[in-house]
Amino acid sequence: MKPITISFPSVYETAFGNTENSAKDLLNGLKVKRNETWYLVGNMAKRSAINAGRIVNAAPIEEDFDILFRSSMVNILDKVKQPFTVTTGFPLSTYNVYKNDAQQFLGRRHFLVEYDASTFNVKGGIKKNTFEVDTFDVIPEIVGGIIGLKKTLPDIANENFIAISFGFGTVEGGFATSDGLVHRTCFSSHGIRYVIGNLARELNINYYLEMKNEHQMDEAFVKGSIFANRRRIDLKEMRITLLRQYYKEVVSPLMRQHFTDGDLEQCSKIYLLGGGAHYNELTDAVAEEFHGFIPVEVVPQPEIIASIGYLYNSLRVSDNNPSRCIGIDIGNATTTTSIFEQV
């Protein structure tokens, strides 16, 4: 069984005006309806909207979760058999608060999704689909990451290791043994959003940023440059400084607080997950701190590991029926949906 993953930016904005033939396919032309309002979602929103964004760490009862969930399902409805088995998750900082709300949301069982196919096919028109969620589970994001890590790198199944996930909203970590997660070592705190806030405050001293929101600032941070006052501003040196400051003042103290010398003695490797693991400035800082006694490794495609973990958890609770399984990671920066390739 091979996992297939579909991703889009976790941003949206109310749709106004003509949107026909403005995208090459469904994934890049997401326009979904919630109640009586149409929304541009993902890449479509980034291209066509003015202030595309969302609430960071939004609760399942808020429209953000519903819109991104519907957009995820639109992309995989014809690729998975019904009724579905779905797993999703939340950071440890919000998991206990949001778990019941998420269970009630998924417990509705029957869903109707409406989307506009004319964004990528002028003859597509408005489409309506129904689907049923039969079984579901809601687990901590770090647990999903560790499951995904073990399925991606099966040789580590009997290893003791530390997993650190650098997300936009939160950074999470924990020590895992062959028996499972050691809960006293788990932590959840400020993610890359902390860095983006400092970047915006620093740039606002000298530049007019045209009221860019934090998701737009994050996009510029990833690119390493931003356009302001009709010129391109290089952010690479500032990115190095801000990420190293973030590691020194946020991440490293958390690791010192939660991992004892005994944990480190048993640890064979530190694995880095999440979209933030693509920043060499962060991964180099971790490697420098543990140089000489614990190797540090960025996992393959770190931004999709949690979604893959959710998918394999769905397989577990579905009585081993891969054709019905879905793993959805509604992240603050990216929404990632994983399914098994249908044979």
mmCIF file of all heavy atoms in Angstrom, residues 6 8-13 30 32-34 39-43 45 53-59 62-76 105 113 215 328-337:
data_model
loop_
_atom_site.group_PDB
_atom_site.id
_atom_site.type_symbol
_atom_site.label_atom_id
_atom_site.label_comp_id
_atom_site.label_asym_id
_atom_site.label_seq_id
_atom_site.Cartn_x
_atom_site.Cartn_y
_atom_site.Cartn_z
ATOM 1 N N ILE A 6 -2.202 14.887 -0.903
ATOM 2 C CA ILE A 6 -2.634 16.088 -1.615
ATOM 3 C C ILE A 6 -2.586 17.252 -0.633
ATOM 4 O O ILE A 6 -3.116 17.153 0.475
ATOM 5 C CB ILE A 6 -4.067 15.919 -2.164
ATOM 6 C CG1 ILE A 6 -4.129 14.754 -3.154
ATOM 7 C CG2 ILE A 6 -4.562 17.208 -2.821
ATOM 8 C CD1 ILE A 6 -5.536 14.346 -3.511
ATOM 9 N N PHE A 8 -2.678 21.722 0.024
ATOM 10 C CA PHE A 8 -2.944 23.083 -0.440
ATOM 11 C C PHE A 8 -2.788 24.050 0.741
ATOM 12 O O PHE A 8 -2.930 23.639 1.905
ATOM 13 C CB PHE A 8 -4.342 23.201 -1.065
ATOM 14 C CG PHE A 8 -5.481 22.821 -0.155
ATOM 15 C CD1 PHE A 8 -6.030 23.735 0.737
ATOM 16 C CD2 PHE A 8 -6.016 21.534 -0.191
ATOM 17 C CE1 PHE A 8 -7.074 23.380 1.569
ATOM 18 C CE2 PHE A 8 -7.066 21.167 0.638
ATOM 19 C CZ PHE A 8 -7.601 22.095 1.521
ATOM 20 N N PRO A 9 -2.484 25.317 0.476
ATOM 21 C CA PRO A 9 -2.319 26.284 1.569
ATOM 22 C C PRO A 9 -3.598 26.437 2.381
ATOM 23 O O PRO A 9 -4.700 26.467 1.826
ATOM 24 C CB PRO A 9 -1.966 27.586 0.836
ATOM 25 C CG PRO A 9 -1.423 27.156 -0.479
ATOM 26 C CD PRO A 9 -2.171 25.902 -0.844
ATOM 27 N N SER A 10 -3.465 26.542 3.694
ATOM 28 C CA SER A 10 -4.622 26.647 4.589
ATOM 29 C C SER A 10 -5.118 28.087 4.685
ATOM 30 O O SER A 10 -5.169 28.680 5.769
ATOM 31 C CB SER A 10 -4.262 26.131 5.981
ATOM 32 O OG SER A 10 -3.992 24.762 5.968
ATOM 33 N N VAL A 11 -5.482 28.668 3.552
ATOM 34 C CA VAL A 11 -6.004 30.040 3.538
ATOM 35 C C VAL A 11 -7.270 30.081 2.689
ATOM 36 O O VAL A 11 -7.463 29.259 1.793
ATOM 37 C CB VAL A 11 -4.969 31.043 2.986
ATOM 38 C CG1 VAL A 11 -3.767 31.141 3.919
ATOM 39 C CG2 VAL A 11 -4.516 30.677 1.582
ATOM 40 N N TYR A 12 -8.129 31.044 2.981
ATOM 41 C CA TYR A 12 -9.357 31.201 2.210
ATOM 42 C C TYR A 12 -9.838 32.642 2.302
ATOM 43 O O TYR A 12 -9.394 33.419 3.161
ATOM 44 C CB TYR A 12 -10.441 30.240 2.706
ATOM 45 C CG TYR A 12 -10.976 30.573 4.083
ATOM 46 C CD1 TYR A 12 -12.070 31.422 4.231
ATOM 47 C CD2 TYR A 12 -10.397 30.046 5.224
ATOM 48 C CE1 TYR A 12 -12.568 31.741 5.490
ATOM 49 C CE2 TYR A 12 -10.877 30.352 6.484
ATOM 50 C CZ TYR A 12 -11.965 31.194 6.608
ATOM 51 O OH TYR A 12 -12.449 31.522 7.851
ATOM 52 N N GLU A 13 -10.742 33.003 1.404
ATOM 53 C CA GLU A 13 -11.380 34.319 1.442
ATOM 54 C C GLU A 13 -12.710 34.220 0.705
ATOM 55 O O GLU A 13 -12.850 33.434 -0.241
ATOM 56 C CB GLU A 13 -10.488 35.382 0.796
ATOM 57 C CG GLU A 13 -11.037 36.807 0.956
ATOM 58 C CD GLU A 13 -10.044 37.861 0.487
ATOM 59 O OE1 GLU A 13 -8.940 37.916 1.052
ATOM 60 O OE2 GLU A 13 -10.366 38.607 -0.465
ATOM 61 N N LEU A 30 -9.842 25.598 -6.106
ATOM 62 C CA LEU A 30 -10.819 25.282 -5.071
ATOM 63 C C LEU A 30 -11.721 26.475 -4.769
ATOM 64 O O LEU A 30 -11.272 27.538 -4.333
ATOM 65 C CB LEU A 30 -10.106 24.848 -3.784
ATOM 66 C CG LEU A 30 -9.497 23.443 -3.781
ATOM 67 C CD1 LEU A 30 -8.637 23.239 -2.551
ATOM 68 C CD2 LEU A 30 -10.601 22.385 -3.840
ATOM 69 N N VAL A 32 -15.378 26.560 -2.755
ATOM 70 C CA VAL A 32 -16.375 25.736 -2.073
ATOM 71 C C VAL A 32 -17.418 26.613 -1.402
ATOM 72 O O VAL A 32 -17.182 27.797 -1.116
ATOM 73 C CB VAL A 32 -15.717 24.806 -1.031
ATOM 74 C CG1 VAL A 32 -14.694 23.900 -1.681
ATOM 75 C CG2 VAL A 32 -15.080 25.613 0.092
ATOM 76 N N LYS A 33 -18.574 26.008 -1.139
ATOM 77 C CA LYS A 33 -19.684 26.733 -0.534
ATOM 78 C C LYS A 33 -19.911 26.245 0.890
ATOM 79 O O LYS A 33 -19.935 25.043 1.154
ATOM 80 C CB LYS A 33 -20.954 26.541 -1.361
ATOM 81 C CG LYS A 33 -22.112 27.445 -0.960
ATOM 82 C CD LYS A 33 -23.293 27.266 -1.913
ATOM 83 C CE LYS A 33 -24.410 28.233 -1.595
ATOM 84 N NZ LYS A 33 -25.571 28.046 -2.509
ATOM 85 N N ARG A 34 -20.075 27.208 1.792
ATOM 86 C CA ARG A 34 -20.450 26.887 3.174
ATOM 87 C C ARG A 34 -21.634 27.760 3.538
ATOM 88 O O ARG A 34 -21.546 28.976 3.436
ATOM 89 C CB ARG A 34 -19.300 27.127 4.142
ATOM 90 C CG ARG A 34 -19.654 26.812 5.591
ATOM 91 C CD ARG A 34 -18.489 27.087 6.529
ATOM 92 N NE ARG A 34 -18.796 26.685 7.887
ATOM 93 C CZ ARG A 34 -19.349 27.472 8.807
ATOM 94 N NH1 ARG A 34 -19.684 28.718 8.499
ATOM 95 N NH2 ARG A 34 -19.594 27.024 10.021
ATOM 96 N N TYR A 39 -16.370 30.429 -1.084
ATOM 97 C CA TYR A 39 -15.024 30.777 -0.633
ATOM 98 C C TYR A 39 -13.981 30.280 -1.633
ATOM 99 O O TYR A 39 -14.071 29.158 -2.144
ATOM 100 C CB TYR A 39 -14.725 30.141 0.723
ATOM 101 C CG TYR A 39 -15.602 30.647 1.844
ATOM 102 C CD1 TYR A 39 -16.796 30.004 2.167
ATOM 103 C CD2 TYR A 39 -15.242 31.777 2.575
ATOM 104 C CE1 TYR A 39 -17.606 30.477 3.190
ATOM 105 C CE2 TYR A 39 -16.056 32.253 3.603
ATOM 106 C CZ TYR A 39 -17.225 31.598 3.907
ATOM 107 O OH TYR A 39 -18.035 32.068 4.916
ATOM 108 N N LEU A 40 -12.988 31.114 -1.891
ATOM 109 C CA LEU A 40 -11.787 30.686 -2.596
ATOM 110 C C LEU A 40 -10.854 30.093 -1.558
ATOM 111 O O LEU A 40 -10.668 30.663 -0.479
ATOM 112 C CB LEU A 40 -11.107 31.872 -3.284
ATOM 113 C CG LEU A 40 -11.955 32.727 -4.220
ATOM 114 C CD1 LEU A 40 -11.122 33.871 -4.781
ATOM 115 C CD2 LEU A 40 -12.529 31.882 -5.343
ATOM 116 N N VAL A 41 -10.243 28.957 -1.884
ATOM 117 C CA VAL A 41 -9.433 28.235 -0.902
ATOM 118 C C VAL A 41 -8.076 27.870 -1.513
ATOM 119 O O VAL A 41 -7.966 27.586 -2.713
ATOM 120 C CB VAL A 41 -10.153 26.948 -0.433
ATOM 121 C CG1 VAL A 41 -9.342 26.228 0.645
ATOM 122 C CG2 VAL A 41 -11.548 27.274 0.100
ATOM 123 N N GLY A 42 -7.053 27.835 -0.669
ATOM 124 C CA GLY A 42 -5.745 27.348 -1.087
ATOM 125 C C GLY A 42 -5.065 28.233 -2.111
ATOM 126 O O GLY A 42 -5.057 29.459 -2.009
ATOM 127 N N ASN A 43 -4.486 27.616 -3.143
ATOM 128 C CA ASN A 43 -3.763 28.367 -4.171
ATOM 129 C C ASN A 43 -4.677 29.340 -4.910
ATOM 130 O O ASN A 43 -4.240 30.417 -5.336
ATOM 131 C CB ASN A 43 -3.105 27.407 -5.169
ATOM 132 C CG ASN A 43 -1.926 26.682 -4.565
ATOM 133 O OD1 ASN A 43 -1.174 27.254 -3.787
ATOM 134 N ND2 ASN A 43 -1.763 25.414 -4.901
ATOM 135 N N ALA A 45 -7.101 31.027 -3.584
ATOM 136 C CA ALA A 45 -7.219 32.200 -2.725
ATOM 137 C C ALA A 45 -5.934 33.028 -2.746
ATOM 138 O O ALA A 45 -5.979 34.264 -2.758
ATOM 139 C CB ALA A 45 -7.544 31.768 -1.294
ATOM 140 N N GLY A 53 -6.462 34.347 4.340
ATOM 141 C CA GLY A 53 -5.855 33.931 5.603
ATOM 142 C C GLY A 53 -6.789 33.030 6.370
ATOM 143 O O GLY A 53 -7.771 32.518 5.820
ATOM 144 N N ARG A 54 -6.493 32.829 7.634
ATOM 145 C CA ARG A 54 -7.356 32.050 8.515
ATOM 146 C C ARG A 54 -6.926 32.288 9.942
ATOM 147 O O ARG A 54 -5.847 32.847 10.201
ATOM 148 C CB ARG A 54 -7.267 30.556 8.202
ATOM 149 C CG ARG A 54 -5.921 29.943 8.517
ATOM 150 C CD ARG A 54 -5.965 28.439 8.617
ATOM 151 N NE ARG A 54 -6.808 27.977 9.699
ATOM 152 C CZ ARG A 54 -6.709 26.778 10.273
ATOM 153 N NH1 ARG A 54 -5.793 25.923 9.848
ATOM 154 N NH2 ARG A 54 -7.498 26.419 11.247
ATOM 155 N N ILE A 55 -7.773 31.858 10.885
ATOM 156 C CA ILE A 55 -7.413 31.927 12.298
ATOM 157 C C ILE A 55 -6.429 30.803 12.604
ATOM 158 O O ILE A 55 -6.653 29.651 12.235
ATOM 159 C CB ILE A 55 -8.666 31.781 13.186
ATOM 160 C CG1 ILE A 55 -9.667 32.907 12.903
ATOM 161 C CG2 ILE A 55 -8.296 31.766 14.658
ATOM 162 C CD1 ILE A 55 -11.006 32.717 13.585
ATOM 163 N N VAL A 56 -5.337 31.128 13.276
ATOM 164 C CA VAL A 56 -4.353 30.117 13.650
ATOM 165 C C VAL A 56 -4.883 29.304 14.832
ATOM 166 O O VAL A 56 -5.444 29.855 15.783
ATOM 167 C CB VAL A 56 -3.008 30.772 14.001
ATOM 168 C CG1 VAL A 56 -2.032 29.750 14.571
ATOM 169 C CG2 VAL A 56 -2.413 31.430 12.762
ATOM 170 N N ASN A 57 -4.736 27.971 14.739
ATOM 171 C CA ASN A 57 -5.214 27.044 15.779
ATOM 172 C C ASN A 57 -6.718 27.211 16.032
ATOM 173 O O ASN A 57 -7.177 27.233 17.181
ATOM 174 C CB ASN A 57 -4.432 27.217 17.084
ATOM 175 C CG ASN A 57 -2.998 26.729 16.975
ATOM 176 O OD1 ASN A 57 -2.682 25.878 16.138
ATOM 177 N ND2 ASN A 57 -2.113 27.273 17.795
ATOM 178 N N ALA A 58 -7.478 27.318 14.936
ATOM 179 C CA ALA A 58 -8.927 27.495 15.045
ATOM 180 C C ALA A 58 -9.586 26.231 15.596
ATOM 181 O O ALA A 58 -9.144 25.110 15.357
ATOM 182 C CB ALA A 58 -9.521 27.823 13.677
ATOM 183 N N ALA A 59 -10.665 26.427 16.326
ATOM 184 C CA ALA A 59 -11.425 25.308 16.895
ATOM 185 C C ALA A 59 -12.292 24.658 15.809
ATOM 186 O O ALA A 59 -12.672 25.304 14.830
ATOM 187 C CB ALA A 59 -12.312 25.809 18.025
ATOM 188 N N GLU A 62 -15.410 26.447 14.514
ATOM 189 C CA GLU A 62 -15.283 27.665 13.725
ATOM 190 C C GLU A 62 -15.293 27.331 12.232
ATOM 191 O O GLU A 62 -14.977 26.215 11.825
ATOM 192 C CB GLU A 62 -14.014 28.416 14.111
ATOM 193 C CG GLU A 62 -14.040 28.897 15.562
ATOM 194 C CD GLU A 62 -12.782 29.638 15.964
ATOM 195 O OE1 GLU A 62 -11.825 28.991 16.411
ATOM 196 O OE2 GLU A 62 -12.771 30.866 15.835
ATOM 197 N N GLU A 63 -15.610 28.348 11.416
ATOM 198 C CA GLU A 63 -15.774 28.118 9.985
ATOM 199 C C GLU A 63 -14.468 27.686 9.318
ATOM 200 O O GLU A 63 -14.493 26.976 8.313
ATOM 201 C CB GLU A 63 -16.338 29.350 9.297
ATOM 202 C CG GLU A 63 -15.398 30.520 9.205
ATOM 203 C CD GLU A 63 -15.974 31.668 8.387
ATOM 204 O OE1 GLU A 63 -17.189 31.667 8.098
ATOM 205 O OE2 GLU A 63 -15.206 32.578 8.052
ATOM 206 N N ASP A 64 -13.316 28.094 9.868
ATOM 207 C CA ASP A 64 -12.023 27.739 9.276
ATOM 208 C C ASP A 64 -11.885 26.232 9.105
ATOM 209 O O ASP A 64 -11.518 25.736 8.032
ATOM 210 C CB ASP A 64 -10.863 28.246 10.152
ATOM 211 C CG ASP A 64 -10.881 29.741 10.355
ATOM 212 O OD1 ASP A 64 -11.884 30.246 10.886
ATOM 213 O OD2 ASP A 64 -9.896 30.403 9.978
ATOM 214 N N PHE A 65 -12.166 25.495 10.171
ATOM 215 C CA PHE A 65 -12.040 24.043 10.144
ATOM 216 C C PHE A 65 -12.999 23.441 9.118
ATOM 217 O O PHE A 65 -12.608 22.573 8.324
ATOM 218 C CB PHE A 65 -12.328 23.478 11.540
ATOM 219 C CG PHE A 65 -12.079 21.997 11.674
ATOM 220 C CD1 PHE A 65 -10.850 21.527 12.092
ATOM 221 C CD2 PHE A 65 -13.079 21.073 11.383
ATOM 222 C CE1 PHE A 65 -10.618 20.169 12.216
ATOM 223 C CE2 PHE A 65 -12.856 19.719 11.497
ATOM 224 C CZ PHE A 65 -11.615 19.259 11.921
ATOM 225 N N ASP A 66 -14.231 23.912 9.108
ATOM 226 C CA ASP A 66 -15.254 23.372 8.201
ATOM 227 C C ASP A 66 -14.884 23.623 6.742
ATOM 228 O O ASP A 66 -14.971 22.716 5.899
ATOM 229 C CB ASP A 66 -16.599 24.014 8.527
ATOM 230 C CG ASP A 66 -17.771 23.300 7.861
ATOM 231 O OD1 ASP A 66 -17.555 22.209 7.294
ATOM 232 O OD2 ASP A 66 -18.888 23.832 7.907
ATOM 233 N N ILE A 67 -14.458 24.838 6.407
ATOM 234 C CA ILE A 67 -14.114 25.177 5.026
ATOM 235 C C ILE A 67 -12.936 24.346 4.541
ATOM 236 O O ILE A 67 -12.947 23.798 3.427
ATOM 237 C CB ILE A 67 -13.799 26.679 4.906
ATOM 238 C CG1 ILE A 67 -15.079 27.492 5.103
ATOM 239 C CG2 ILE A 67 -13.152 27.000 3.562
ATOM 240 C CD1 ILE A 67 -14.847 28.977 5.266
ATOM 241 N N LEU A 68 -11.901 24.210 5.363
ATOM 242 C CA LEU A 68 -10.710 23.448 4.952
ATOM 243 C C LEU A 68 -11.009 21.950 4.901
ATOM 244 O O LEU A 68 -10.484 21.233 4.038
ATOM 245 C CB LEU A 68 -9.547 23.751 5.897
ATOM 246 C CG LEU A 68 -9.056 25.205 5.846
ATOM 247 C CD1 LEU A 68 -8.024 25.461 6.938
ATOM 248 C CD2 LEU A 68 -8.481 25.547 4.478
ATOM 249 N N PHE A 69 -11.864 21.467 5.802
ATOM 250 C CA PHE A 69 -12.275 20.060 5.768
ATOM 251 C C PHE A 69 -13.034 19.760 4.471
ATOM 252 O O PHE A 69 -12.750 18.770 3.780
ATOM 253 C CB PHE A 69 -13.145 19.742 6.982
ATOM 254 C CG PHE A 69 -13.699 18.345 6.991
ATOM 255 C CD1 PHE A 69 -12.902 17.273 7.357
ATOM 256 C CD2 PHE A 69 -15.018 18.102 6.623
ATOM 257 C CE1 PHE A 69 -13.421 15.969 7.356
ATOM 258 C CE2 PHE A 69 -15.543 16.818 6.625
ATOM 259 C CZ PHE A 69 -14.733 15.751 6.994
ATOM 260 N N ARG A 70 -13.990 20.610 4.114
ATOM 261 C CA ARG A 70 -14.758 20.419 2.883
ATOM 262 C C ARG A 70 -13.833 20.444 1.666
ATOM 263 O O ARG A 70 -13.976 19.637 0.736
ATOM 264 C CB ARG A 70 -15.805 21.520 2.745
ATOM 265 C CG ARG A 70 -16.957 21.428 3.724
ATOM 266 C CD ARG A 70 -17.804 22.701 3.698
ATOM 267 N NE ARG A 70 -18.838 22.648 4.725
ATOM 268 C CZ ARG A 70 -20.061 22.151 4.541
ATOM 269 N NH1 ARG A 70 -20.389 21.674 3.358
ATOM 270 N NH2 ARG A 70 -20.947 22.128 5.526
ATOM 271 N N SER A 71 -12.885 21.378 1.671
ATOM 272 C CA SER A 71 -11.953 21.493 0.549
ATOM 273 C C SER A 71 -11.081 20.260 0.425
ATOM 274 O O SER A 71 -10.762 19.818 -0.687
ATOM 275 C CB SER A 71 -11.091 22.750 0.724
ATOM 276 O OG SER A 71 -11.896 23.907 0.789
ATOM 277 N N SER A 72 -10.688 19.687 1.558
ATOM 278 C CA SER A 72 -9.917 18.445 1.535
ATOM 279 C C SER A 72 -10.711 17.317 0.908
ATOM 280 O O SER A 72 -10.218 16.577 0.046
ATOM 281 C CB SER A 72 -9.515 18.036 2.959
ATOM 282 O OG SER A 72 -8.665 18.978 3.541
ATOM 283 N N MET A 73 -11.967 17.184 1.324
ATOM 284 C CA MET A 73 -12.783 16.073 0.866
ATOM 285 C C MET A 73 -13.113 16.190 -0.624
ATOM 286 O O MET A 73 -13.197 15.179 -1.330
ATOM 287 C CB MET A 73 -14.066 15.994 1.691
ATOM 288 C CG MET A 73 -13.837 15.794 3.181
ATOM 289 S SD MET A 73 -12.759 14.403 3.577
ATOM 290 C CE MET A 73 -13.809 13.033 3.108
ATOM 291 N N VAL A 74 -13.300 17.412 -1.112
ATOM 292 C CA VAL A 74 -13.583 17.614 -2.539
ATOM 293 C C VAL A 74 -12.499 16.964 -3.398
ATOM 294 O O VAL A 74 -12.771 16.393 -4.455
ATOM 295 C CB VAL A 74 -13.710 19.121 -2.847
ATOM 296 C CG1 VAL A 74 -13.574 19.385 -4.344
ATOM 297 C CG2 VAL A 74 -15.039 19.656 -2.336
ATOM 298 N N ASN A 75 -11.266 17.025 -2.918
ATOM 299 C CA ASN A 75 -10.133 16.533 -3.707
ATOM 300 C C ASN A 75 -10.008 15.013 -3.746
ATOM 301 O O ASN A 75 -9.304 14.478 -4.607
ATOM 302 C CB ASN A 75 -8.828 17.119 -3.158
ATOM 303 C CG ASN A 75 -8.583 18.533 -3.623
ATOM 304 O OD1 ASN A 75 -8.252 18.777 -4.777
ATOM 305 N ND2 ASN A 75 -8.762 19.485 -2.721
ATOM 306 N N ILE A 76 -10.657 14.316 -2.823
ATOM 307 C CA ILE A 76 -10.445 12.860 -2.755
ATOM 308 C C ILE A 76 -11.745 12.050 -2.839
ATOM 309 O O ILE A 76 -11.715 10.825 -2.722
ATOM 310 C CB ILE A 76 -9.649 12.465 -1.483
ATOM 311 C CG1 ILE A 76 -10.286 13.022 -0.196
ATOM 312 C CG2 ILE A 76 -8.220 12.959 -1.582
ATOM 313 C CD1 ILE A 76 -11.302 12.157 0.421
ATOM 314 N N PHE A 105 -18.144 17.060 15.348
ATOM 315 C CA PHE A 105 -18.154 17.474 13.944
ATOM 316 C C PHE A 105 -18.158 16.244 13.034
ATOM 317 O O PHE A 105 -18.993 16.125 12.133
ATOM 318 C CB PHE A 105 -16.939 18.358 13.660
ATOM 319 C CG PHE A 105 -16.803 18.790 12.232
ATOM 320 C CD1 PHE A 105 -17.409 19.956 11.789
ATOM 321 C CD2 PHE A 105 -16.070 18.041 11.319
ATOM 322 C CE1 PHE A 105 -17.295 20.357 10.461
ATOM 323 C CE2 PHE A 105 -15.943 18.430 9.990
ATOM 324 C CZ PHE A 105 -16.563 19.596 9.561
ATOM 325 N N VAL A 113 -21.111 18.470 0.212
ATOM 326 C CA VAL A 113 -20.131 19.462 -0.215
ATOM 327 C C VAL A 113 -20.539 20.001 -1.581
ATOM 328 O O VAL A 113 -21.000 19.247 -2.444
ATOM 329 C CB VAL A 113 -18.701 18.881 -0.283
ATOM 330 C CG1 VAL A 113 -18.170 18.586 1.093
ATOM 331 C CG2 VAL A 113 -18.639 17.636 -1.155
ATOM 332 N N HIS A 215 -0.034 35.125 7.151
ATOM 333 C CA HIS A 215 0.134 34.066 6.152
ATOM 334 C C HIS A 215 0.891 34.589 4.929
ATOM 335 O O HIS A 215 1.722 33.883 4.355
ATOM 336 C CB HIS A 215 -1.232 33.509 5.746
ATOM 337 C CG HIS A 215 -1.949 32.820 6.854
ATOM 338 N ND1 HIS A 215 -1.658 31.525 7.238
ATOM 339 C CD2 HIS A 215 -2.923 33.244 7.695
ATOM 340 C CE1 HIS A 215 -2.440 31.178 8.248
ATOM 341 N NE2 HIS A 215 -3.206 32.210 8.538
ATOM 342 N N ILE A 328 -6.323 13.429 7.552
ATOM 343 C CA ILE A 328 -6.391 14.863 7.241
ATOM 344 C C ILE A 328 -5.655 15.664 8.311
ATOM 345 O O ILE A 328 -6.020 15.631 9.491
ATOM 346 C CB ILE A 328 -7.848 15.352 7.160
ATOM 347 C CG1 ILE A 328 -8.639 14.560 6.114
ATOM 348 C CG2 ILE A 328 -7.888 16.844 6.809
ATOM 349 C CD1 ILE A 328 -10.086 14.986 6.002
ATOM 350 N N ASP A 329 -4.639 16.389 7.880
ATOM 351 C CA ASP A 329 -3.904 17.297 8.761
ATOM 352 C C ASP A 329 -4.272 18.717 8.354
ATOM 353 O O ASP A 329 -3.743 19.250 7.375
ATOM 354 C CB ASP A 329 -2.400 17.057 8.619
ATOM 355 C CG ASP A 329 -1.577 18.004 9.490
ATOM 356 O OD1 ASP A 329 -2.163 18.615 10.408
ATOM 357 O OD2 ASP A 329 -0.360 18.135 9.254
ATOM 358 N N ILE A 330 -5.208 19.326 9.093
ATOM 359 C CA ILE A 330 -5.621 20.699 8.796
ATOM 360 C C ILE A 330 -4.645 21.628 9.510
ATOM 361 O O ILE A 330 -4.912 22.122 10.611
ATOM 362 C CB ILE A 330 -7.084 20.941 9.209
ATOM 363 C CG1 ILE A 330 -7.997 19.943 8.479
ATOM 364 C CG2 ILE A 330 -7.511 22.380 8.900
ATOM 365 C CD1 ILE A 330 -9.466 20.082 8.800
ATOM 366 N N GLY A 331 -3.492 21.821 8.893
ATOM 367 C CA GLY A 331 -2.439 22.617 9.498
ATOM 368 C C GLY A 331 -2.690 24.103 9.358
ATOM 369 O O GLY A 331 -3.526 24.548 8.567
ATOM 370 N N ASN A 332 -1.935 24.880 10.126
ATOM 371 C CA ASN A 332 -2.094 26.329 10.073
ATOM 372 C C ASN A 332 -1.513 26.930 8.802
ATOM 373 O O ASN A 332 -1.963 27.973 8.345
ATOM 374 C CB ASN A 332 -1.430 26.960 11.302
ATOM 375 C CG ASN A 332 -2.195 26.669 12.565
ATOM 376 O OD1 ASN A 332 -3.345 27.050 12.710
ATOM 377 N ND2 ASN A 332 -1.570 25.963 13.505
ATOM 378 N N ALA A 333 -0.515 26.285 8.218
ATOM 379 C CA ALA A 333 0.077 26.766 6.974
ATOM 380 C C ALA A 333 -0.429 25.974 5.769
ATOM 381 O O ALA A 333 -0.709 26.535 4.718
ATOM 382 C CB ALA A 333 1.598 26.696 7.041
ATOM 383 N N THR A 334 -0.544 24.643 5.932
ATOM 384 C CA THR A 334 -0.922 23.767 4.824
ATOM 385 C C THR A 334 -1.911 22.715 5.303
ATOM 386 O O THR A 334 -1.765 22.183 6.403
ATOM 387 C CB THR A 334 0.323 23.063 4.253
ATOM 388 O OG1 THR A 334 1.300 24.044 3.894
ATOM 389 C CG2 THR A 334 -0.018 22.237 3.030
ATOM 390 N N THR A 335 -2.905 22.434 4.484
ATOM 391 C CA THR A 335 -3.831 21.327 4.749
ATOM 392 C C THR A 335 -3.403 20.156 3.883
ATOM 393 O O THR A 335 -3.281 20.284 2.669
ATOM 394 C CB THR A 335 -5.275 21.736 4.438
ATOM 395 O OG1 THR A 335 -5.674 22.751 5.361
ATOM 396 C CG2 THR A 335 -6.214 20.553 4.567
ATOM 397 N N THR A 336 -3.161 19.018 4.524
ATOM 398 C CA THR A 336 -2.605 17.851 3.845
ATOM 399 C C THR A 336 -3.528 16.665 4.044
ATOM 400 O O THR A 336 -3.879 16.330 5.178
ATOM 401 C CB THR A 336 -1.202 17.528 4.400
ATOM 402 O OG1 THR A 336 -0.390 18.698 4.333
ATOM 403 C CG2 THR A 336 -0.535 16.428 3.595
ATOM 404 N N THR A 337 -3.915 16.021 2.954
ATOM 405 C CA THR A 337 -4.816 14.878 3.001
ATOM 406 C C THR A 337 -4.130 13.676 2.383
ATOM 407 O O THR A 337 -3.627 13.753 1.259
ATOM 408 C CB THR A 337 -6.116 15.177 2.230
ATOM 409 O OG1 THR A 337 -6.656 16.409 2.686
ATOM 410 C CG2 THR A 337 -7.126 14.071 2.431
#
